[in-house]
Amino acid sequence: MLTELTISNFAIIERQALSFHSGFNVISGETGAGKSIILHALEFILGAKGSPSMIRTGAEQLEVQALFDLTAIPETVRAELPEIVGEGDELVVLRNLPREGRGKVLINGRLGTVALLEEIVRKIVNICSQHHQTKLLDSRFHLELLDGFCGCGDLAEQMREAHRAWADRRSELQKLKESHAKGAERREELEALLEDLSALPGLKAGRRVELEREVKRIGNAERLISVGQRALGLMSGEEGLTISMKELAGCIQEISRLDPGAAAIVSDFEQARAALSRSELSISRFVDSLDLDAETLESLREELSELARLERKHKTDDAGLVALKDRAERELSALSGADGLKGLEQEVAQLFDRAMKVGRELRKARTAGAKQLCKAVAQDLAELNMRDATLDVRFTETEPCASGIDRVDFLISTNKGQPHAPLASIASGGELSRVMLVLKKILRERSGVNVLIFDEVDTGISGGVARSVGQMLKEISDRSQVVCITHLPQVASLSDRHFLVNKQVGDRAITVVKQLSEDEKVDEIARMLAGYTITDASRASARELIGSK
């Protein structure tokens, strides 16, 4: 949701802060008051090209800042947002443009580019008017939109899985065919690789750690034996601890005999003497287990050196060498005969048939859904004074892909006898806005774009048609934030928040935007109904129009 928009020194706006809300936000004002400036400021903060001519006279630079609330953004869309957005629930974007030099883009306080800004905000905001591309106009997304309308989610997922299985095995088959084509040359490469790796018969994941530990142990054996024997000498030699302990035992026994109260001393001494005896036995066993095997040590060092060479050569570790060896053995086995190739060809053919079967089921569901969609669009467009407009969903068969076996394009004809053409080709901005309004309503498109800005949607309509447009906008605003620039009271009266754009003329003209209170909204709707002179009758009509929403 767009919560704040701050505009400084933009055309005839000196400084203006707008606080938008969820639901249906309307912007109105007399012709020339500056409604289009608000739209241009929004376009600028969404990545449109800027020009120094936009800068207010007397100012050195213009600046636009927007604050978005990301609380309700789908996790799938958040995952697609660049890292600069972060994990917070707010997004602040700021863009300025000086008269001289380059402008700056700040995204959550960090420098960015216009391209990065556009990538972020296009996932959040759509301006629905002529010359603004939205997801609804992009044929690359029409399949996704149609599937959402048809409820083909499960079938579409089956198609993605079937295609993935077929594409993976087909890629493997292609590589195998290429390998077969190279023939003997590739086999020689694999045999040389396996011979190189076979120089290490004990190759396995974690072998380097084992070798380093064993080399260190054997390398230290001589010193360990020397120190261990010295320790044994100190314990059991002619002047060692064992002899001393015997003499000490006699002293302790004498103390105990002379003073029975010293029995605890005897107990402590015997425990220490037993511990010393166990320690002597452990050291003796340890020393006996050591082996000064220079030949084994040299062999281990050579194996470690060879392992290091292979790791450097193939730019991987011991586990990677094992995987490399396994792959080489499998490929060499496949190259040794045609059975592996033939079996893989059969598997790929079966997976292709599976993908085509799911694709045909998906096409059937989509075709049925497309008929319902075209009927619903025609009915709603008729309510919006486009009685002869019809939608056509064109299917073009393709090779199986993740989305199916068809390309889908939404085509429109706005006049009787006119051929259907892509949505973006609609010449009238008002008609295009109404077509997008209807599609937004029917498709309930929830791609993460949850801020919809409508301009020109009420061009060339009035009366009951205008009311139908307003009611559709109001319905969409139940699940998306809608901002609509309008001059029709039938639309404006349905708003949850109403902003009025006025031009104030003093020494210099400035545009001022004000959020209206309920009474002020009544007066503005009355002005839109009656013109410059607001009467009690026009106020009563305005209240009736507002009350009928």
Side-chain angles (χ1 to χ4, degrees):
M1 183 175 73
L2 173 64
T3 56
E4 299 284 342
L5 180 69
T6 304
I7 308 169
S8 301
N9 297 320
F10 198 110
I12 59 173
I13 293 180
E14 184 174 10
R15 180 173 175 81
Q16 188 70 56
L18 288 77
S19 296
F20 292 102
H21 302 264
S22 59
F24 189 18
N25 299 264
V26 158
I27 299 174
S28 70
E30 297 177 5
T31 301
K35 298 189 298 297
S36 61
I37 299 175
I38 307 297
L39 180 63
H40 293 328
L42 281 165
E43 293 170 343
F44 180 72
I45 198 63
L46 299 183
K49 186 176 181 180
S51 169
S53 62
M54 297 176 174
I55 302 173
R56 186 171 180 268
T57 302
E60 293 303 314
Q61 70 171 20
L62 64 82
E63 182 179 284
V64 180
Q65 178 174 291
L67 171 64
F68 295 94
D69 180 353
L70 305 182
T71 304
I73 192 169
E75 286 302 318
T76 52
V77 177
R78 181 181 283 278
E80 295 175 355
L81 292 174
E83 185 180 351
I84 195 171
V85 176
E87 298 297 325
D89 290 332
E90 288 189 339
L91 169 65
V92 181
V93 293
L94 182 147
R95 187 180 176 193
N96 65 20
L97 179 67
R99 289 192 182 276
E100 298 181 0
R102 300 182 63 179
K104 290 182 179 179
V105 173
L106 293 178
I107 301 169
N108 279 346
R110 296 166 60 186
L111 281 173
T113 63
V114 174
L116 183 61
L117 172 65
E118 190 175 13
E119 179 186 352
I120 294 169
V121 295
R122 73 180 178 179
K123 298 181 185 297
I124 304 171
V125 182
N126 269 171
I127 295 181
C128 301
S129 68
Q130 197 175 25
H131 312 306
H132 287 92
Q133 283 288 328
T134 74
K135 197 167 186 177
L136 290 172
L137 300 184
D138 193 336
S139 62
R140 292 175 302 172
F141 297 103
H142 288 171
L143 260 178
E144 176 186 330
L145 296 170
L146 180 60
D147 285 348
F149 176 78
C150 299
C152 294
D154 291 341
L155 265 177
E157 180 58 32
Q158 289 179 35
M159 185 68 226
R160 282 190 288 272
E161 292 176 358
H163 171 262
R164 186 185 305 113
W166 170 66
D168 287 348
R169 298 301 278 169
R170 184 180 64 163
S171 175
E172 187 174 336
L173 175 61
Q174 184 61 33
K175 290 178 182 178
L176 188 56
K177 284 182 176 180
E178 292 172 358
S179 297
H180 271 281
K182 293 178 181 178
E185 180 182 346
R186 179 56 178 164
R187 281 194 291 272
E188 287 177 5
E189 290 177 2
L190 292 170
E191 287 169 354
L193 172 61
L194 288 172
E195 184 179 356
D196 199 18
L197 294 175
S198 296
L200 294 174
L203 179 62
K204 62 180 180 179
R207 181 57 176 163
R208 167 178 282 278
V209 174
E210 288 183 0
L211 287 171
E212 289 174 343
R213 183 167 58 241
E214 192 65 13
V215 166
K216 184 176 180 181
R217 188 187 70 81
I218 296 178
N220 289 334
E222 185 175 359
R223 177 60 179 161
L224 287 170
I225 290 173
S226 175
V227 173
Q229 289 176 340
R230 173 62 178 157
L232 289 172
L234 291 172
M235 297 181 76
S236 59
E238 293 181 359
E239 297 181 359
L241 288 175
T242 304
I243 300 300
S244 299
M245 290 294 283
K246 290 180 180 179
E247 296 179 2
L248 183 57
C251 295
I252 296 297
Q253 291 295 333
E254 181 67 15
I255 292 172
S256 175
R257 185 179 63 79
L258 296 173
D259 184 358
I265 297 176
V266 176
S267 177
D268 292 342
F269 171 75
E270 290 301 330
Q271 289 178 11
R273 187 177 183 182
L276 183 62
S277 179
R278 289 194 301 272
S279 178
E280 180 182 356
L281 181 60
S282 297
I283 295 172
S284 178
R285 288 173 177 172
F286 175 75
V287 171
D288 290 342
S289 69
L290 295 172
D291 184 9
L292 281 174
D293 189 347
E295 185 176 339
T296 300
L297 177 60
E298 183 62 25
S299 175
L300 291 173
R301 283 174 173 166
E302 287 177 0
E303 184 179 350
L304 187 59
S305 176
E306 180 65 11
L307 177 59
R309 181 187 71 80
L310 291 172
E311 287 177 337
R312 290 194 302 270
K313 180 178 179 179
H314 298 288
K315 297 181 175 59
T316 186
D317 57 11
D318 47 16
L321 291 175
V322 172
L324 180 62
K325 185 178 180 182
D326 290 343
R327 287 197 300 271
E329 287 173 344
R330 286 197 302 271
E331 186 177 352
L332 186 59
S333 175
L335 285 170
S336 299
D339 291 343
L341 179 61
K342 189 177 294 184
L344 188 55
E345 285 177 335
Q346 292 174 350
E347 184 180 357
V348 169
Q350 291 170 357
L351 290 171
F352 176 81
D353 291 342
R354 164 64 179 162
M356 288 297 296
K357 180 181 178 182
V358 177
R360 284 190 287 268
E361 292 175 3
L362 195 52
R363 176 194 291 165
K364 183 178 179 180
R366 286 168 171 167
T367 301
K371 291 179 181 178
Q372 297 176 10
L373 174 62
C374 293
K375 183 178 179 180
V377 168
Q379 289 175 344
D380 278 353
L381 286 177
E383 292 183 20
L384 302 187
N385 203 30
M386 295 179 68
R387 293 177 179 81
D388 296 322
T390 56
L391 181 74
D392 180 38
V393 180
R394 179 175 298 169
F395 291 81
T396 305
E397 185 166 336
T398 65
E399 182 182 73
C401 62
S403 57
I405 59 172
D406 298 290
R407 172 184 167 179
V408 165
D409 296 286
F410 290 174
L411 306 176
I412 193 80
S413 171
T414 54
N415 296 295
K416 186 175 292 185
Q418 181 182 10
H420 288 85
L423 297 179
S425 67
I426 300 176
S428 165
E431 287 183 340
L432 179 60
S433 294
R434 271 172 269 161
V435 169
M436 287 193 290
L437 172 59
V438 168
L439 288 172
K440 284 284 185 183
K441 173 200 169 187
I442 295 173
L443 293 173
R444 295 179 175 269
E445 192 252 312
R446 295 302 302 270
S447 61
V449 175
N450 208 38
V451 182
L452 306 175
I453 300 167
F454 286 89
D455 183 42
E456 302 180 283
V457 72
D458 52 15
T459 301
I461 60 173
S462 60
V465 175
R467 191 64 170 182
S468 294
V469 168
Q471 288 170 341
M472 283 192 190
L473 289 166
K474 180 68 174 175
E475 180 179 341
I476 293 174
S477 73
D478 289 340
R479 57 185 182 274
S480 297
Q481 183 189 36
V482 173
V483 178
C484 180
I485 299 173
T486 186
H487 64 278
L488 294 179
Q490 295 92 336
V491 174
S493 61
L494 294 168
S495 68
D496 298 309
R497 299 288 186 280
H498 193 135
F499 298 86
L500 177 63
V501 181
N502 273 323
K503 183 190 290 184
Q504 297 180 357
V505 180
D507 294 336
R508 293 168 61 183
I510 61 170
T511 289
V512 176
V513 185
K514 177 184 179 183
Q515 181 177 332
L516 301 181
S517 65
E518 285 301 314
D519 289 341
E520 291 169 332
K521 177 179 176 179
V522 170
D523 284 350
E524 172 58 9
I525 300 298
R527 180 198 66 76
M528 297 171 78
L529 285 167
Y532 290 103
T533 303
I534 300 174
T535 64
D536 290 341
S538 63
R539 283 193 179 94
S541 297
R543 289 191 182 94
E544 182 179 356
L545 200 56
I546 294 170
S548 64
K549 67 179 179 180

